[in-house]
Amino acid sequence: MPLFVGGGLIALVLVGLLIFLGVKALGGDDEPISNPTTTTQPTGDPSTEPSGEPSGEPSGEPSTPAGGELGNATGQAKSATDKLQADGYQCSDLFNGAQGAHRGCFKYKDATSAEAIFQFQPDGAIIGVLLRSEDSDNINNAKVTFDAALQAIGNDTFGGSEVVKIQDAVKTGQKTGKIGSTWGEFQLRNNGDDLQLSGGKSGSDSYDLPRKQFTTTEAQMYAALKPKQYTCTSSCRKTVGKYGSQSIYGYGGTSGGIRSFEMRASGEPADVQAAIPAVIADGFAAVQGPDVAALKAYVEAHNDGKSYASYVSGWRVEITGNNDDSYRSQTISIRYESFYV
């Protein structure tokens, strides 16, 4: 009996082995191929009518435009952008992705400069606002420009009644202080020729901004400019023409990379016209970092004597000047953005 049982077991094992080998030969025991991953992901923006060109960045990683571009926007953000652009503002995104966006709109008209900066969620809901208008020559112009930007963003975002609260605070001469709102809380600063309003939506946290810096330190910048006949103290400067100058300034602390960078030329119009390309070339040659090429390209493309502001590769770039017939100046400022609401 034990021999019969053992033989039966052996026979069963042999049959099972033959079946296994047959299945193996037909490929039935191959390892399954893992499912392919999708590299292109949705932006998270439901808008079918984007303001500006879409960024094309995958979901989860905010797009950092190289210079002057607008990503997607819908709802409140698109409405505000369209109204501000129609009023002559230049708008660009510091970043724009599935997690949200930070947009800045800037305007220069005569002696008035203004900015409307806001953050918004992927559905376009605005969660933070910073408005500013300045005109040292005409207080009324500063107020008119400020009020137009307030209505462009506020009527759809805060509601008309909340906009009236802010308008009344300005009209009655409130200088500083908080203004309560059903949307959130605002902080007003009113110096007459310089008005600023910041506010955040209740229950929402503003997005963190990238802290940008060049790899070059102040000391390294000085060392690069001195051989080009710049005299360097708190900034590097050389004489241009009879009484003009061109200067380059960088701040990064005692050992860190430069975080605030400025190039400037001033003097007689012909001297400034010749000095600006030189100071731009000298300045960008003295700093290093992954954003230098994009920054230089933007500055050179907007070197026509007019005023501009834009986000470029995560930096805030401002080009401003004075184009009087007898005296001219032009300043190019590059720094990382700050946003407190």
Side-chain angles (χ1 to χ4, degrees):
M1 184 67 68
L3 289 175
F4 175 77
V5 173
L9 289 172
I10 291 171
L12 289 172
V13 171
L14 289 173
V15 172
L17 180 61
L18 290 172
I19 294 172
F20 171 79
L21 292 173
V23 173
K24 182 71 174 178
L26 294 172
D29 196 40
D30 287 349
E31 290 295 324
I33 300 174
S34 60
N35 293 327
T37 58
T38 302
T39 55
T40 303
Q41 303 177 27
T43 63
D45 190 337
S47 172
T48 57
E49 297 180 0
S51 176
E53 294 299 321
S55 66
E57 287 291 320
S59 174
E61 292 294 331
S63 165
T64 304
E69 297 91 348
L70 280 177
N72 291 334
T74 188
Q76 294 173 356
K78 185 177 189 303
S79 175
T81 303
D82 291 346
K83 291 175 182 178
L84 290 167
Q85 287 181 318
D87 195 28
Y89 282 78
Q90 310 157 14
C91 299
S92 56
D93 287 344
L94 186 71
F95 58 79
N96 191 324
Q99 296 174 343
H102 179 102
R103 178 163 294 179
C105 296
F106 309 94
K107 179 181 180 180
Y108 299 92
K109 184 178 180 181
D110 301 325
T112 304
S113 62
E115 60 188 59
I117 301 171
F118 51 98
Q119 293 188 343
F120 56 94
Q121 297 173 333
D123 64 358
I126 294 176
I127 60 172
V129 174
L130 176 63
L131 304 178
R132 185 177 181 185
S133 175
E134 183 179 10
D135 190 327
S136 57
D137 292 342
N138 191 313
I139 293 177
N140 186 61
N141 286 346
K143 291 181 178 179
V144 169
T145 302
F146 175 85
D147 188 67
L150 172 63
Q151 293 189 61
I153 292 181
N155 285 334
D156 291 334
T157 303
F158 319 139
S161 61
E162 307 307 290
V163 169
V164 171
K165 288 182 183 179
I166 300 168
Q167 291 174 324
D168 288 343
V170 174
K171 290 178 182 177
T172 58
Q174 180 175 332
K175 297 300 182 183
T176 60
K178 296 179 180 180
I179 302 173
S181 165
T182 57
W183 180 81
E185 185 174 82
F186 296 100
Q187 182 71 36
L188 175 68
R189 190 187 72 193
N190 179 6
N191 295 325
D193 61 349
D194 185 351
L195 295 93
Q196 179 172 300
L197 180 80
S198 60
K201 185 178 182 180
S202 297
S204 300
D205 294 327
S206 61
Y207 303 126
D208 293 332
L209 302 187
R211 188 175 176 85
K212 305 289 289 186
Q213 65 179 33
F214 295 102
T215 57
T216 307
T217 64
E218 289 181 41
Q220 291 169 335
M221 185 194 74
Y222 295 154
L225 291 172
K226 286 179 180 178
K228 297 181 179 181
Q229 287 72 56
Y230 284 85
T231 300
C232 297
T233 52
S234 58
S235 64
C236 294
R237 182 181 181 277
K238 70 162 70 173
T239 301
V240 173
K242 295 179 180 179
Y243 54 87
S245 67
Q246 64 186 55
S247 61
I248 299 171
Y249 166 82
Y251 175 77
T254 55
S255 59
I258 291 172
R259 304 189 300 271
S260 181
F261 187 60
E262 183 178 288
M263 297 167 285
R264 187 174 190 271
S266 62
E268 295 181 337
D271 293 333
V272 172
Q273 186 174 358
I276 279 295
V279 75
I280 291 173
D282 291 345
F284 282 118
V287 293
Q288 296 181 348
D291 306 320
V292 169
L295 291 167
K296 184 179 181 183
Y298 177 85
V299 169
E300 290 181 337
H302 296 81
N303 184 28
D304 57 5
K306 299 178 182 178
S307 294
Y308 298 93
S310 179
Y311 295 129
V312 180
S313 296
W315 296 84
R316 174 169 169 158
V317 180
E318 294 178 80
I319 304 173
T320 56
N322 173 8
N323 292 320
D324 290 345
D325 293 336
S326 58
Y327 176 85
R328 187 165 298 179
S329 67
Q330 187 168 339
T331 301
I332 301 154
S333 172
I334 300 172
R335 58 182 173 85
Y336 70 86
E337 180 68 292
S338 59
F339 184 75
Y340 303 101
V341 297

